[in-house]
Amino acid sequence: MVNERLRRAMHRAGLDLSTLAAAAEVSTKSVERWIGGGSIPYPRTRYRVAAVLQEEESYLWPESTNTASLVGAELVATYPRRSDVPRHLWTELLRNSSRDIDLLAFAGLFLTEEHPDWLPTLAQKARNGARVRLLLGDQEGTQLAARDGEYRFGGGVAGRVSAVLSYYRERMPRQVDVRLHDTPLYNSIYRFDDEMLVNVHAYGVLAAYTPTLHLRRINGAYFNTYVESYERVWAAARSATTAPEA
């Protein structure tokens, strides 16, 4: 099986077979075997390659690490509030992604209003071939009304969804797929390839003031749970261009 993580890490670092081989002090044939999944470097070489690529050794070769030692390894950082997440991290993760960009929220208006690079970068990623999927709250459903009552916004949540939908409709190319969901929002999910920010919600507390997890997929112990949750919501959602069923 091709080691896609290693291949993409080399691409991000701007290294080809020969330059990585030179840095790791091995032959290009060895690097080819690593990428092809035919072999795994010795520990000292793994450490050297991980340092050159600025990645965790356990991320590049998870199968070489004892499973017990991976407990919690996917948890890169935790923040007591979403507002504590470093401002640059949102767009940095977006810029570094190339395959899967997924968003699940009721509105996520802070991304479009507080990060000027969010919309143009997202649009360019879609044009470059990334799969971009946006799940926003269904204004015709019951969940937005329930959240309004919880926050005592008086219809404000639906208004925020309308605002963010207008941003995306005006700026996003046709490749971006937008759906509306009417499911309880236990977490807001922001996926960027093999990295993810999960905003954990608490009753009666605004999302900006609830904890946020930064995950990086290694063995999937944490990451895959939220991927599965996202896919379930996606399957139940309706296209933003269609009317709700009577």
Side-chain angles (χ1 to χ4, degrees):
M1 182 180 296
V2 174
N3 188 332
E4 187 64 22
R5 296 181 183 185
L6 176 60
R7 189 190 67 79
R8 284 188 281 108
M10 289 172 59
H11 178 72
R12 285 195 298 268
L15 300 178
D16 58 17
L17 292 173
S18 59
T19 51
L20 181 60
E25 300 178 9
V26 297
S27 68
T28 55
K29 287 292 185 182
S30 294
V31 178
E32 286 179 352
R33 286 194 291 271
W34 301 343
I35 295 174
S39 67
I40 296 174
Y42 290 116
R44 181 180 296 182
T45 305
R46 288 201 304 267
Y47 177 83
R48 186 182 298 126
V49 171
V52 169
L53 297 178
Q54 296 185 340
E55 288 285 359
E56 295 295 329
E57 179 184 332
S58 57
Y59 173 77
L60 295 172
W61 292 285
E63 66 274 25
S64 68
T65 309
N66 188 300
T67 303
S69 70
L70 290 175
V71 175
E74 292 193 322
L75 192 57
V76 177
T78 60
Y79 304 96
R81 303 180 301 178
R82 191 191 70 202
S83 56
D84 293 322
V85 176
R87 182 179 175 84
H88 68 88
L89 187 59
W90 297 95
T91 47
E92 180 179 299
L93 291 175
L94 178 60
R95 289 192 190 98
N96 290 336
S97 59
S98 60
R99 295 179 293 105
D100 296 293
I101 301 165
D102 295 329
L103 180 152
L104 167 62
F106 275 147
L109 189 60
F110 74 99
L111 290 172
T112 58
E113 294 197 335
E114 298 175 16
H115 299 270
D117 293 339
W118 178 262
L119 288 170
T121 304
L122 189 65
Q124 190 58 53
K125 291 293 178 180
R127 294 188 186 99
N128 290 344
R131 182 181 67 170
V132 179
R133 300 185 296 176
L134 309 177
L135 273 168
L136 303 173
D138 191 337
Q139 297 151 291
E140 303 297 328
T142 61
Q143 294 300 319
L144 284 189
R147 186 58 62 96
D148 255 331
E150 177 186 334
Y151 289 157
R152 300 178 183 176
F153 273 177
V157 178
R160 294 167 70 85
V161 175
S162 294
V164 78
L165 272 173
S166 68
Y167 283 129
Y168 286 127
R169 283 169 175 161
E170 291 171 6
R171 302 288 298 276
M172 291 299 104
R174 59 178 177 77
Q175 294 94 329
V176 174
D177 200 347
V178 183
R179 292 189 184 182
L180 304 177
H181 71 92
D182 188 30
T183 53
L185 193 67
Y186 301 116
N187 307 277
S188 292
I189 298 173
Y190 308 89
R191 178 189 179 185
F192 310 91
D193 287 351
D194 291 325
E195 302 210 40
M196 182 184 291
L197 294 170
V198 179
N199 188 191
V200 181
H201 297 308
Y203 183 83
V205 182
L206 292 174
Y209 303 111
T210 54
T212 299
L213 314 177
H214 180 187
L215 306 178
R216 176 180 295 165
R217 178 155 56 185
I218 296 177
N219 65 339
Y222 285 84
F223 197 94
N224 290 350
T225 297
Y226 293 103
V227 170
E228 180 181 353
S229 177
Y230 186 94
E231 296 298 341
R232 287 176 180 268
V233 178
W234 182 261
R238 68 179 178 89
S239 171
T241 60
T242 61
E245 295 182 5

